[in-house]
Amino acid sequence: MNISVPRRVTAVAALAALALGGLTGTTASANPAAAAAPDIPLANVKQHLTDLQSIATANGGNRAHGRTGYKASIDFVKAKLDAAGYTTTVQTFTSGGSTGYNLIADWPGGDPNQVLMAGSHLDSVTSGPGINDNGSGSAAVLETALAVARAGYQPSKHLRFGWWGAEELGLVGSKYYVAQLPSTERAKLSGYLNFDMIGSPNPGYFVYDDDPTIETTFKNYFAGIGVPTEIETEGDGRSDHASFKNVGIPVGGLFTGASRVKSSAQVQKWGGTATAFDRCYHSSCDTTSNINDTALDRNSDAIAHAIWTLSAGTTTPPGTVFENTADVSVPDNGAAVTSTVNVTGVTGNAPSNLAVGVDIVHTYRGDLVVDLVAPDGSVYSLSNRSGGSADNIVQTFTVNASSEVANGAWKLRVQDKASADTGYINNFKLTFP
Ligand code: TRP
Ligand code: ZN
Ligand code: CA
């Protein structure tokens, strides 16, 4: 008999388990384990835009690829990230005979095999300072990265941020980044989030219609603040997410509209006027005056929400226990036996500190080989004929199970390798921290 009884340690949870019928069902709560994303201060994002405007003004009025204003923009963003504790890398490439630059910033920690990435292009066109296109995305991603540092956030996934060069010349920088990523590194990217034009002066609220999980995460945020969204249709593939999507990486992103005209239905929905979402698109008037603060604020908070939600890696409340209390007798000097616990309702991988509770009643523990077997068959040794003539193994082992998918049938495997003494598995439980 194998009965997995997911149970929680609190009294409330015990009642919930009773309500579910006691023996079946998963934990019912939505996502209390994921830390809430912080509110991204609009004033900070706007200060970054003011600084990018000053950089353009001091460098001939733009921040375009191959111009001094671009490299000054890279230096500006990099200095903030370095000061906050990021590991930054400037990647160079060549386009149109000029050196281009991508900036990559890694937040130390998290699962190196599951990388969540967010990025935006940092270059402008030559005709203007590029504050909405794309100071807005660049500043919001920067401020979200700084908020990660301020919070001391330790997500399950590894976080990486990117600022791309030469997007305006055909996604050149992001294409270069993806092309030079070894396929083993590409495979670790669990998602790429793109932000290009998120403060348009006559804004719409557009969500990219790509990876469903990413799309839903953004839509949920806007639904929560009562702002209607639409699917982005003003040119799929017109920004850096296309470089990632083309090699099979799940992508998503936000957009508030470029030169297309807002329809009357959209004016009804979002306010504003039936004119271009951004009348200064690719023009000299794309300055700090060309920003809608409300749109910039909402989109910045949506970025933080998505990064926090998608990097948490688990939706299991802390202390969730899955256990099997059924006794399994261990034959003397015989074949291995197992007790199974079925883990359900956990998103992503198991934790690096999975608590494995073992309760084996036996008259000579030195007979016993005890392993944890993950759903895919991977074996983690817990005890190998250790402890000599002592009896029983009643112990909680901490196992780094972060390379295992959490959901599935986990087994405690016990084999008695010497004759005379006998016993049984009394209890086997897994606690998700
Ligand atoms: N940087 C893009 C461009 O100049 C802006 C843009 C247009 C865009 N349509 C888009 C960005 C759709 C994202 C999605 O073409
Ligand atoms: Zn752009
Ligand atoms: Ca024995």
Side-chain angles (χ1 to χ4, degrees), residues 37-122:
D39 183 273
I40 299 300
L42 175 65
N44 293 9
V45 182
K46 290 192 73 177
Q47 182 60 52
H48 303 322
L49 292 182
T50 300
D51 291 338
L52 290 172
Q53 175 75 63
S54 300
I55 287 169
T57 302
N59 288 278
N62 68 71
R63 302 180 302 101
H65 169 75
R67 308 295 183 93
T68 52
Y70 183 70
K71 181 56 165 48
S73 300
I74 286 278
D75 294 344
F76 163 73
V77 176
K78 182 178 185 298
K80 301 262 182 211
L81 294 163
D82 286 339
Y86 278 83
T87 305
T88 59
T89 309
V90 176
Q91 180 180 58
T92 61
F93 57 90
T94 304
S95 181
S98 302
T99 302
Y101 306 88
N102 291 328
L103 173 63
I104 309 299
D106 282 278
W107 181 237
D111 183 350
N113 293 315
Q114 290 183 278
V115 180
L116 179 67
M117 189 164 192
S120 49
H121 75 85
L122 186 57

Side-chain angles (χ1 to χ4, degrees), residues 330-334 362-364 366-368 385 415-423:
V330 180
D332 188 28
N333 197 15
H362 199 275
T363 52
Y364 193 97
D367 284 4
L368 301 177
R385 306 199 62 178
Q415 184 169 20
D416 181 329
K417 297 261 215 180
S419 49
D421 293 275
T422 58

Side-chain angles (χ1 to χ4, degrees), residues 121 123 125 133-134 167-168 171 194-197 206 208 232-241 253-259 281-282:
H121 75 85
D123 63 314
V125 290
D133 183 13
N134 183 32
E167 185 272 353
E168 300 290 3
L171 321 182
N194 193 62
F195 305 99
D196 186 359
M197 304 185 72
F206 298 103
Y208 299 2
E232 188 285 304
T233 59
E234 196 177 349
D236 200 19
R238 278 181 65 184
S239 192
D240 298 296
H241 57 293
L254 300 174
F255 177 61
T256 53
S259 53
Y281 176 63
H282 285 186

Side-chain angles (χ1 to χ4, degrees), residues 226-431:
V227 173
T229 60
E230 287 185 15
I231 296 305
E232 188 285 304
T233 59
E234 196 177 349
D236 200 19
R238 278 181 65 184
S239 192
D240 298 296
H241 57 293
S243 307
F244 290 80
K245 184 182 161 97
N246 284 343
V247 297
I249 295 163
V251 302
L254 300 174
F255 177 61
T256 53
S259 53
R260 185 180 284 180
V261 171
K262 199 185 257 191
S263 71
S264 55
Q266 289 170 327
V267 172
Q268 290 291 312
K269 183 181 281 189
W270 292 316
T273 57
T275 57
F277 291 104
D278 182 357
R279 66 179 190 89
C280 292
Y281 176 63
H282 285 186
S283 305
S284 59
C285 62
D286 187 9
T287 65
T288 47
S289 305
N290 191 45
I291 289 288
N292 180 288
D293 284 359
T294 302
L296 184 64
D297 191 19
R298 289 169 174 170
N299 280 291
S300 299
D301 291 339
I303 294 170
H305 171 80
I307 287 174
W308 256 256
T309 305
L310 295 169
S311 67
T314 177
T315 55
T316 312
T320 299
V321 174
F322 297 88
E323 76 178 329
N324 189 341
T325 58
D327 292 357
V328 179
S329 69
V330 180
D332 188 28
N333 197 15
V337 294
T338 59
S339 174
T340 303
V341 155
N342 291 307
V343 173
T344 56
V346 180
T347 304
N349 282 19
S352 59
N353 55 341
L354 180 65
V356 181
V358 174
D359 183 345
I360 300 170
V361 177
H362 199 275
T363 52
Y364 193 97
R365 61 175 281 164
D367 284 4
L368 301 177
V369 177
V370 182
D371 298 311
L372 174 70
V373 184
D376 72 349
S378 305
V379 177
Y380 296 83
S381 175
L382 301 176
S383 183
N384 189 352
R385 306 199 62 178
S386 69
S389 63
D391 53 13
N392 304 336
I393 302 181
V394 181
Q395 198 174 333
T396 299
F397 299 89
T398 302
V399 171
N400 182 350
S402 59
S403 65
E404 307 295 337
V405 171
N407 287 337
W410 292 76
K411 290 180 163 50
L412 181 69
R413 186 173 68 191
V414 181
Q415 184 169 20
D416 181 329
K417 297 261 215 180
S419 49
D421 293 275
T422 58
Y424 61 96
I425 302 173
N426 190 36
N427 188 21
F428 165 42
K429 77 177 164 187
L430 298 175
T431 305

